[in-house]
Amino acid sequence: MASTNGLRDRRRRQTRRDIHAAALWLAREHGFDKITVDMISAEAGVSPRTFFNYFPNKEAAVLPGPTELPEGLAAQFITRGAAHPREVLADLTQLLVRDLADNAPQRQEMHAVFALTRSHPALLAAMLARFDSFQRSIAEAVAQRLEQRPDGEVPTLLAALALTAMRTGLERWACEESQSEADDSPVPYVERSAELLRTLLTP
Amino acid sequence: MASTNGLRDRRRRQTRRDIHAAALWLAREHGFDKITVDMISAEAGVSPRTFFNYFPNKEAAVLPGPTELPEGLAAQFITRGAAHPREVLADLTQLLVRDLADNAPQRQEMHAVFALTRSHPALLAAMLARFDSFQRSIAEAVAQRLEQRPDGEVPTLLAALALTAMRTGLERWACEESQSEADDSPVPYVERSAELLRTLLTP
């Protein structure tokens, strides 16, 4: 049963990746304004109906990555229990970094996405909404761990800090020229932003 | 000359406020999906052409507040020159608080706006885009003050911290029941979020 679910999950992730890759390729080839859900579906070899099972619109399809913390990682994080906010933030960074390592985006791809968001306000807004939704799922995990309300100040602020580190690191990584294949991971960039955020406010 | 410009500026701000008030009132009265630019313009007593001089769409008209740091405040902040990031962040918070005190939003209004963003993804996305644009103008001011690149890590992170404090404080203020007319300002809420952010990261 578990392996059937596992297979289905992998297939779903693959279809999602295929549609995303088709959308991004078409956007770079024809310009984001010119592409349609029908074009993306045809390119990915799925029906428009299937497209809408995965994404609400073309903006969402062009953007990479998930909008929620993976359940397994969130559960591990929550069971660690009460800790100093600095420690909670360090755990959050580790968790985001592990998620990034498991679902490594490609630098070229992220570069293209950030470039598209700069010229298409609707795409920027969709990306910000995705970060916001991701941030909310992190705030919920922090709230559960600290036994506080999810809209409480501490969970909200810690989630915002973690997301800020992730977004800043990802943007720097995506905008820098790739030095070599070997170091082509956003992880050191996100870790560096998180470390800088910690030390910035240390008296 | 200066006073003519001052008068024109005041008139522009008043027209902007009138359109915004009309948009928000209509959205609460008829539902955000039902309102149009024509309806908002008629309610505010301006032509649709004038509407588009102030806002690109109805989403933008419903949202309060500016998208840029006022030039005068930014210039004062920049001339203070190099300082420890903690001090720069404290100055930024003071500056945002002064701007909030000068252009005080109404609690009922902010409450309505946040409620609308929760049920209308397009409005949430527009609000996030506005925060992002505001954050970018803050990062630019920090970069000028510290003589760094505006897309550098320190300006980006400090601007994100300041905006996080402002957004968190504003949301808490808007969502809490008003206790009395006298304390009806978001300023203590934003100051508290900024203080909490600082102490959260202090070992």
Side-chain angles (χ1 to χ4, degrees):
Chain A
M1 219 14 215
S3 74
T4 314
N5 280 340
L7 185 62
R8 198 188 303 143
D9 275 1
R10 271 203 300 282
R11 271 203 201 123
R12 273 191 67 82
R13 276 201 300 274
Q14 187 57 49
T15 306
R16 196 185 156 86
R17 267 199 297 267
D18 290 347
I19 299 174
H20 163 63
L24 188 56
W25 187 82
L26 287 169
R28 295 169 73 181
E29 195 70 11
H30 302 286
F32 179 72
D33 294 329
K34 296 276 172 21
I35 66 172
T36 63
V37 167
D38 284 346
M39 285 166 72
I40 299 168
S41 307
E43 179 69 30
V46 301
S47 66
R49 198 194 147 108
T50 300
F51 176 97
F52 287 116
N53 283 334
Y54 289 85
F55 299 103
N57 49 43
K58 68 175 184 173
E59 280 81 6
V62 166
L63 299 170
T67 53
E68 287 224 341
L69 211 53
E71 268 181 41
L73 289 181
Q76 276 176 35
F77 168 80
I78 291 163
T79 52
R80 279 195 208 145
H84 189 281
R86 270 175 84 91
E87 201 180 312
V88 175
L89 184 61
D91 287 351
L92 272 183
T93 309
Q94 240 186 0
L95 184 151
L96 291 177
V97 157
R98 248 186 81 185
D99 187 34
L100 269 182
D102 290 349
N103 303 287
Q106 297 212 308
R107 196 193 285 235
Q108 292 282 338
E109 196 178 294
M110 282 304 289
H111 183 88
V113 168
F114 280 118
L116 283 169
T117 60
R118 276 189 287 274
S119 52
H120 294 86
L123 205 53
L124 174 65
M127 186 179 77
L128 295 171
R130 182 163 299 191
F131 278 131
D132 195 59
S133 153
F134 195 46
Q135 186 169 318
R136 213 171 291 264
S137 80
I138 293 171
E140 271 165 33
V142 174
Q144 277 192 54
R145 174 166 170 178
L146 301 181
E147 296 180 356
Q148 297 186 11
R149 290 165 45 122
D151 60 351
E153 266 179 304
V154 172
T156 304
L157 292 174
L158 285 176
L161 289 171
L163 241 284
T164 296
M166 189 171 94
R167 184 182 166 190
T168 309
L170 269 181
E171 273 199 78
R172 272 181 22 87
W173 171 70
C175 295
E176 234 175 52
E177 281 306 306
S178 178
Q179 305 297 327
S180 77
E181 288 297 314
D183 71 353
D184 211 20
S185 159
V187 167
Y189 290 78
V190 173
E191 282 174 337
R192 195 189 122 97
S193 288
E195 178 56 26
L196 189 54
L197 205 47
R198 255 193 309 275
T199 55
L200 267 184
L201 293 184
T202 304
Chain B
M1 221 13 219
S3 74
T4 314
N5 279 339
L7 185 63
R8 198 189 302 144
D9 275 0
R10 272 203 301 283
R11 271 202 200 125
R12 275 192 65 83
R13 277 202 298 276
Q14 187 58 47
T15 307
R16 197 185 156 87
R17 267 200 296 268
D18 290 348
I19 299 174
H20 163 63
L24 188 57
W25 187 83
L26 287 169
R28 295 168 75 180
E29 194 72 11
H30 302 286
F32 179 72
D33 294 330
K34 297 274 172 21
I35 66 171
T36 63
V37 167
D38 284 346
M39 284 165 73
I40 299 168
S41 307
E43 180 69 30
V46 302
S47 66
R49 200 193 145 107
T50 300
F51 176 97
F52 287 116
N53 282 336
Y54 289 85
F55 300 103
N57 49 43
K58 67 174 185 173
E59 280 82 7
V62 167
L63 298 170
T67 54
E68 289 223 341
L69 211 52
E71 268 179 41
L73 289 181
Q76 277 177 33
F77 168 80
I78 291 164
T79 52
R80 280 196 207 142
H84 189 282
R86 269 175 86 90
E87 202 181 309
V88 175
L89 184 61
D91 287 352
L92 273 183
T93 309
Q94 240 186 0
L95 183 151
L96 292 177
V97 157
R98 249 187 80 184
D99 186 35
L100 269 181
D102 289 349
N103 303 286
Q106 298 212 308
R107 197 193 285 235
Q108 292 282 337
E109 196 178 295
M110 283 304 289
H111 183 89
V113 168
F114 281 119
L116 282 169
T117 61
R118 276 190 287 275
S119 52
H120 294 86
L123 204 53
L124 174 64
M127 186 179 76
L128 295 171
R130 183 164 297 193
F131 278 132
D132 195 59
S133 153
F134 195 46
Q135 185 169 317
R136 213 171 294 264
S137 80
I138 293 171
E140 271 165 33
V142 174
Q144 277 191 55
R145 174 166 172 177
L146 301 182
E147 297 181 356
Q148 296 186 10
R149 289 165 45 121
D151 60 350
E153 266 178 305
V154 172
T156 305
L157 292 174
L158 285 176
L161 288 171
L163 240 284
T164 296
M166 190 174 92
R167 183 182 165 189
T168 310
L170 270 181
E171 273 198 77
R172 272 182 22 86
W173 171 70
C175 294
E176 233 174 53
E177 282 305 308
S178 179
Q179 305 296 327
S180 78
E181 288 298 313
D183 71 353
D184 211 21
S185 160
V187 167
Y189 290 78
V190 173
E191 283 175 336
R192 195 188 123 96
S193 288
E195 178 56 27
L196 188 54
L197 205 50
R198 253 194 309 276
T199 54
L200 273 182
L201 292 181
T202 305

